[in-house]
Amino acid sequence: MKNEKNTHGLLNNLKFMLHEQWVFEKKATVIPFIRILSDLAVALMGIWLPKVVLDAISQSIPVHVFLTQIGLLTVALMLLKYISYYSEQGVLKNAVRIWNVHFYIKKDWKILDMDYSIFTSPKGKILIEKAHDSLSRNVNVNMASFYPKLVELVRSVLGLLSFCAVIAFLNPIIILLLLISYGIDGLISLNIQKWEHSIKDKRATIDRKLYYVFDSTNNSSIAKDIRLYDMKSWINHAAKSFMNEKNTLEKQVETKHLLQRLFEAFLIFIRNGGGYIYLIWKMLHTDMTVGEFTLYFGAISGFGLWLHQIVRTINGLSNASCKVDDYRNLMDTKDKLMRSEGEQIPALNEPVEIVLENVRFHYEGSDQTIVDDINLTISKGERLAIVGVNGAGKTTLIKLICGLLEPVSGRVLMNGMDIRRFNREAYYSLITAAFQNVCVLPMSIAQNITFKDESDIDTEKLEKCVELANLKEKMDRLPKRYSTQLVPSVVDDGVNLSGGELQKLMLARALYKDAPLIILDEPTAALDPIAENQMYLRYSELTNNKTAIYISHRLSSTRFCDRIIFVEHGKIIETGTHDELLARGGKYKAMFDVQSQYYKDYIEEKAI
């Protein structure tokens, strides 16, 4: 995987987010700047109004003139506040919430669409976790807050400049002193932000551990194991351990923020106190009116508030920019496999030839070789069985053939063409597979098999595949048959299928796709002996006019295949037919003898 840079830069992120905002909703891009103008007017009127009131009192102007001035200013103030409220609450914040969902959907689509090898790699998992975090929190602090923070920064800077103009009439030196004070505070805050960004990988790693534990407690597939093996103690211990790890890290973050806030409070006391003392001295020694005193008093206080908002907003903008980096690092991740137009794929109605040339593979960050220099040719229409002990590399070998993983060295060919030269989706259309892990979605059984809209399903083909998978009897017992919904935890009228029934469903799904290369990874692991035998008897029909690869631990099933390879430590150590391997007396025969002994013992016990 391409080594992604950690940051795109604030200006680059600014350009990216402005473009995204403009494309997503133009109104929400423009209207916030109306709020800026109204807020500036409100702020200036806020320090001007007390001056008008006090000067009017001191100058004894007529009551009707005073009330007219105050009334007009009040109406203007209310109107401006409404414009500000509407632009912020009615437009910007609502747009940001929807915008956040927009980014979330794009992020999830990227995760679903990215190369499997990147998705499962350690770097890929960190990228995904950080991208999740960039959008999973409150919209006021995640990456969607970038544009509102930008608007807030522009507003605060213009407000600061406006108040600077007022204070300049009093004494420009005050502006310099206030800027130095807030500059120190801002530098400290930014350093804390940089440090916090530097530990994000560590945070993401801890969060992944916690989410794994939390997901385990809600995973119905392991609920039985948790109870029967009293795994609660381990889960609680792991959760406490990870929580302590997270708590320690978060305490370090909070301590830094607390110290920064204490120092900030000290600076506020010094600068505001100094400003007020100077104003009092000025009023006592010059002709400054009470109204002017109030105006400058409000300007100094407001100056501090604008500066504080600038520091806070830069802090928030910096944090949001880091979140944008995390999102973009995931979105910019380049797939290794061909996504543009590739070589012409083989015909879908003819079996294919698969050749592995000196294929080696190990997972990223690991020195352990999983597939070690394998050379293998699977002829067109051949039915090949891959056997071996757990961890021998069988499933990894299948993933390499499927193009889900890419060899570290060597290459995989289909009909003489390196599979990396095919378009990824086009290549996947050539493969149908039933893996050990069952994946069902909260939709009808028909849709779970075909992944098509009800109106687009070939009913005759569906029924044939269901019958071949030996699932027809189950369908006939269901009142809604193929329209029966699955995943009852999501769908109100959904049903659960047994482990064996789910495996049959996966087989029916593989058959319906009807690709020239069919891969069955332990397709009978959850089947009873009768159902398993029925599937074996139909094996020729299931794999008719296809190149078939079959993985199984049950060696009695391999006699239906044309050839068998025995894999150990990522190498092919034996190859031949069932009878040839038994006659050879090697590892295959030793494993077969062990398994067949159980069947013999079972038969003898039944006879007794």
Side-chain angles (χ1 to χ4, degrees), residues 72-208:
L72 290 173
L73 286 172
T74 302
V75 170
L77 196 61
M78 291 174 61
L79 181 61
L80 290 168
K81 278 186 171 293
Y82 175 77
I83 293 173
S84 175
Y85 178 84
Y86 171 75
S87 62
E88 180 185 14
Q89 300 293 333
V91 177
L92 184 58
K93 287 197 173 180
N94 286 336
V96 168
R97 292 188 187 97
I98 300 171
W99 198 25
N100 190 65
V101 175
H102 161 75
F103 280 123
Y104 214 102
I105 292 171
K106 288 181 69 175
K107 179 256 306 176
D108 284 352
W109 177 254
K110 174 66 177 181
I111 293 170
L112 287 172
D113 190 52
M114 70 197 310
D115 281 354
Y116 177 83
S117 59
I118 299 174
F119 174 80
T120 56
S121 70
K123 287 183 180 179
K125 289 176 181 176
I126 290 293
L127 279 174
I128 291 169
E129 186 60 45
K130 290 167 73 174
H132 278 318
D133 187 63
S134 72
L135 289 163
S136 63
R137 300 188 180 185
N138 190 294
V139 293
N140 294 318
V141 296
N142 67 15
M143 69 167 281
S145 69
F146 187 98
Y147 187 70
K149 297 292 184 188
L150 174 66
V151 173
E152 188 70 23
L153 180 61
V154 174
R155 168 182 170 272
S156 299
V157 169
L158 292 177
L160 180 68
L161 293 175
S162 300
F163 277 48
C164 276
V166 174
I167 296 173
F169 286 102
L170 177 65
N171 192 331
I173 299 297
I174 295 176
I175 298 174
L176 179 62
L177 295 175
L178 290 173
L179 286 173
I180 291 172
S181 171
Y182 276 98
I184 295 171
D185 188 20
L187 287 174
I188 293 173
S189 181
L190 283 176
N191 282 329
I192 291 175
Q193 277 294 318
K194 287 180 180 179
W195 174 80
E196 198 169 350
H197 182 62
S198 71
I199 63 169
K200 280 177 22 178
D201 282 3
K202 190 174 182 180
R203 259 180 169 166
T205 301
I206 296 172
D207 286 343
R208 276 200 303 115

Side-chain angles (χ1 to χ4, degrees), residues 355-412:
V355 176
L356 283 75
E357 294 182 347
N358 307 114
V359 171
R360 292 183 68 255
F361 178 80
H362 62 76
Y363 286 97
E364 183 181 352
S366 173
D367 295 330
Q368 182 181 359
T369 299
I370 307 299
V371 173
D372 190 5
D373 197 29
I374 280 186
N375 288 279
L376 174 67
T377 298
I378 307 171
S379 303
K380 292 182 178 182
E382 183 179 10
R383 293 172 294 188
L384 176 77
I386 303 176
V387 300
V389 298
N390 289 332
K394 303 185 297 296
T395 300
T396 302
L397 187 60
I398 289 300
K399 290 178 180 177
L400 289 164
I401 292 173
C402 287
L404 295 172
L405 299 176
E406 188 175 6
V408 174
S409 62
R411 58 180 186 161
V412 179

Side-chain angles (χ1 to χ4, degrees), residues 19 114 124 134 152 214 285 325 351 358 369 410 428 467 506 561:
H19 175 266
M114 70 197 310
S134 72
E152 188 70 23
F214 295 153
H285 294 83
D325 282 331
N358 307 114
T369 299
Y428 289 162
E467 185 175 359
M506 295 303 102
C561 297

Side-chain angles (χ1 to χ4, degrees), residues 189-190 193 257 260 310-320:
S189 181
L190 283 176
Q193 277 294 318
H257 283 297
Q260 186 261 333
I310 288 173
V311 172
R312 185 190 64 187
T313 306
I314 290 176
N315 190 13
L317 193 61
S318 174
N319 179 65

Side-chain angles (χ1 to χ4, degrees), residues 456-474:
D456 296 329
I457 295 175
D458 185 334
T459 305
E460 184 178 345
K461 182 179 179 182
L462 172 63
E463 290 182 349
K464 181 180 178 182
C465 293
V466 167
E467 185 175 359
L468 282 171
N470 200 28
L471 193 59
K472 186 177 184 303
E473 185 179 345
K474 176 67 177 181

Side-chain angles (χ1 to χ4, degrees), residues 449 465-466 469-472 474 498-511 523 527-528 531-532 534:
I449 292 173
C465 293
V466 167
N470 200 28
L471 193 59
K472 186 177 184 303
K474 176 67 177 181
S498 69
E501 289 165 346
L502 285 172
Q503 251 184 335
K504 293 175 184 178
L505 184 76
M506 295 303 102
L507 180 58
R509 177 187 293 174
L511 295 173
L527 300 183
D528 58 73
E532 182 184 32
Q534 289 174 337

